[in-house]
Amino acid sequence: MKPDLPDNNQNNHGITHDRAPLLDAFSRPLRDLRVSVTDRCNFRCRYCMPKDAFDRDHPFLSHDELLRFEEIDRLARIFVRLGVKKIRLTGGEPLLRRHVENLVALLSRHPIDLTLTTNASILAKKAKALRDAGLNRLTVSLDAMDDATFRMMNDVDFPLASVLSGIEAASAAGFSSIKINTVVKKGLNEHAVLPIVEHFRGTKHIVRFIEFMDVGQTNGWRMDDVVSADSLVRMINERYPIEPVSPDYRGEVARRWRFKDGRGEIGIIASVTAPFCQDCTRMRLSTNGMLFSCLFSGGGFDARALLRGDTAVDDEKIEAMLVALWHQRNDQYSVLRAQKKAVLPAQKIEMSYIGG
Ligand code: SAM
Ligand code: SF4
Ligand code: SF4
């Protein structure tokens, strides 16, 4: 995908001087950047990297293909100039990228909210280094509170206790309020919902339940396997009465609910039954430097080619390309899916590659 160069917001050197928000074709500002730092993972969550598709023969990226930390930092600096306020490191499993804390240290120099999503399998070892390097916040994915279901969901027999000690280590390192992400898939872990609510209610950590999404080619998604936001709210409300809270900011994807007894809140991310494309302010940077403006994009823009091309490209040129890319953005796949009008790209990109 190659964007046409924009004809506004610039002088004739392609430098953006106008700091009005950069808007896409549907007037959505560019606010968030998700950076996938590895396409590899030590889990094989059934909804993300099913074992049969991500086996020993899976063609993971080679080391040379990965964006280097300095390259990520250079792009981040330009994105921040364009209005990005929040950067999330993800993957694959981001803590598997060697010395990821060095990348955190580079990115933490920008005026952004810097956060990372992890399965927490090695968080106990890494939490302090991440905090010391300047990471602001953490999200931990956790799909059950009983060991048997947890091991079944990650499908590599990984024990729950290690993840819980990772969360404890992170709290001790200064991550006071951690977001806990739980994907709910019908028939697999609906029974885990209430125990997760019970465990984290009254703590500073906030659980967000996520509808199982049709991202990628391999997870065998069916609408019948989605536990809808409405049924999650009903289930939770019957046991722990909740009431809606208004969103904090535009682009907040989780609908917030608070416990009527004052013991905190939960979030529900209804990507399938109540899509939020109208407020989607995210760009995604894959491990090998492709930029995607939607989880369901048909193709990406090769930023690495720009960075590593034969002729040196200055930041202004890259900035102009990013401006053009965002101006042309008209993605709204989930809204169209809900209206039964979505046209799927020939090849859907895997969540573990593009960064969830
Ligand atoms: N490995 C890290 C982790 O699991 O936290 C980061 C990458 S993972 C792809 C990011 C998030 O995407 C996780 O919270 C995961 O639960 C979510 N996810 C993966 N596949 C999904 C799917 N099919 N539907 C909804 N969420 C999904
Ligand atoms: Fe790995 Fe995260 Fe995907 Fe699970 S959701 S397989 S932990 S990348
Ligand atoms: Fe954003 Fe695309 Fe998801 Fe809509 S479908 S919320 S545009 S990533």
Side-chain angles (χ1 to χ4, degrees):
M1 194 199 319
K2 200 169 175 62
D4 303 327
L5 281 175
D7 54 9
N8 53 2
N9 265 359
Q10 295 180 11
N11 68 10
N12 57 7
H13 304 294
I15 301 169
T16 304
H17 287 309
D18 179 354
R19 288 304 167 202
L22 177 61
L23 301 178
D24 72 4
F26 295 145
S27 295
R28 296 170 294 194
L30 171 63
R31 287 280 179 262
D32 314 79
L33 178 65
R34 297 204 156 195
V35 181
S36 173
V37 295
T38 176
D39 60 336
R40 292 165 197 256
C41 187
N42 53 344
F43 282 15
R44 287 292 177 271
C45 302
R46 291 156 188 268
Y47 50 76
C48 179
M49 294 179 82
K51 250 181 185 169
D52 49 351
F54 292 87
D55 57 11
R56 219 177 276 161
D57 300 327
H58 184 80
F60 289 107
L61 295 167
S62 66
H63 192 259
D64 290 347
E65 292 176 277
L66 314 188
L67 277 193
R68 295 187 287 271
F69 290 168
E70 294 70 24
E71 292 172 321
I72 295 174
D73 185 47
R74 182 175 175 202
L75 288 173
R77 187 170 61 241
I78 301 169
F79 271 111
V80 170
R81 283 215 300 258
L82 292 176
V84 161
K85 304 268 183 275
K86 177 169 161 187
I87 297 183
R88 178 177 297 279
L89 300 180
T90 174
E93 174 42 46
L95 300 189
L96 294 186
R97 179 80 185 255
R98 286 188 69 198
H99 306 304
V100 70
E101 59 279 9
N102 294 349
L103 175 62
V104 169
L106 286 177
L107 297 178
S108 69
R109 297 181 304 187
H110 302 297
I112 47 158
D113 182 20
L114 183 59
T115 164
L116 178 146
T117 304
T118 174
N119 63 23
S121 53
I122 53 169
L123 184 59
K125 262 199 288 194
K126 289 274 194 178
K128 186 165 181 321
L130 291 169
R131 188 69 185 175
D132 291 347
L135 187 68
N136 300 120
R137 294 187 301 111
L138 265 177
T139 298
V140 168
S141 302
L142 175 67
D143 296 329
M145 278 321 297
D146 67 282
D147 193 52
T149 309
F150 186 77
R151 287 176 191 253
M152 179 273 292
M153 292 298 285
N154 64 54
D155 213 12
V156 292
D157 210 25
F158 195 87
L160 173 69
S162 307
V163 168
L164 296 181
S165 30
I167 294 174
E168 268 171 41
S171 295
F175 294 101
S176 54
S177 173
I178 295 170
K179 284 192 178 136
I180 308 292
N181 273 2
T182 303
V183 175
V184 189
K185 186 172 172 200
K186 199 173 278 177
L188 282 187
N189 66 332
E190 290 150 293
H191 62 282
V193 169
L194 292 180
I196 290 178
V197 172
E198 173 61 31
H199 185 87
F200 290 102
R201 238 165 71 82
T203 69
K204 288 188 177 151
H205 310 319
I206 297 178
V207 181
R208 289 129 37 106
F209 293 101
I210 306 177
E211 288 179 346
F212 174 40
M213 258 194 296
D214 52 335
V215 64
Q217 304 272 115
T218 58
N219 66 13
W221 183 88
R222 299 177 319 145
M223 188 65 205
D224 284 352
D225 293 333
V226 177
V227 180
S228 71
D230 286 352
S231 58
L232 286 165
V233 168
R234 264 197 309 275
M235 188 197 308
I236 296 166
N237 185 50
E238 271 173 24
R239 177 76 184 79
Y240 307 103
I242 48 179
E243 59 193 5
V245 183
S246 47
D248 266 352
Y249 56 90
R250 180 177 180 191
E252 190 170 40
V253 297
R255 289 196 182 166
R256 297 167 59 199
W257 297 80
R258 75 177 145 235
F259 297 109
K260 287 185 178 166
D261 64 5
R263 301 196 67 205
E265 61 176 75
I266 56 160
I268 311 246
I269 303 181
S271 339
V272 177
T273 63
F276 37 79
C277 298
Q278 68 283 359
D279 283 334
C280 180
T281 56
R282 297 175 180 171
M283 186 69 111
R284 291 181 153 87
L285 178 62
S286 75
T287 314
N288 57 346
M290 300 293 289
L291 283 165
F292 295 92
S293 55
C294 175
L295 267 178
F296 300 91
S297 292
F301 171 73
D302 191 349
R304 191 186 62 184
L306 215 57
L307 297 172
R308 294 188 188 171
D310 291 338
T311 35
V313 179
D314 59 23
D315 284 5
E316 283 67 30
K317 174 82 188 304
I318 297 174
E319 182 173 321
M321 298 300 278
L322 300 183
V323 167
L325 206 57
W326 194 260
H327 275 161
Q328 287 168 26
R329 177 182 189 250
N330 62 358
D331 306 286
Q332 50 167 341
Y333 172 82
S334 292
V335 163
L336 295 176
R337 181 218 299 109
Q339 296 169 352
K340 305 209 178 339
K341 290 188 203 154
V343 182
L344 277 175
Q347 189 77 18
K348 281 200 288 173
I349 307 147
E350 295 299 327
M351 186 82 131
S352 52
Y353 163 73
I354 196 176

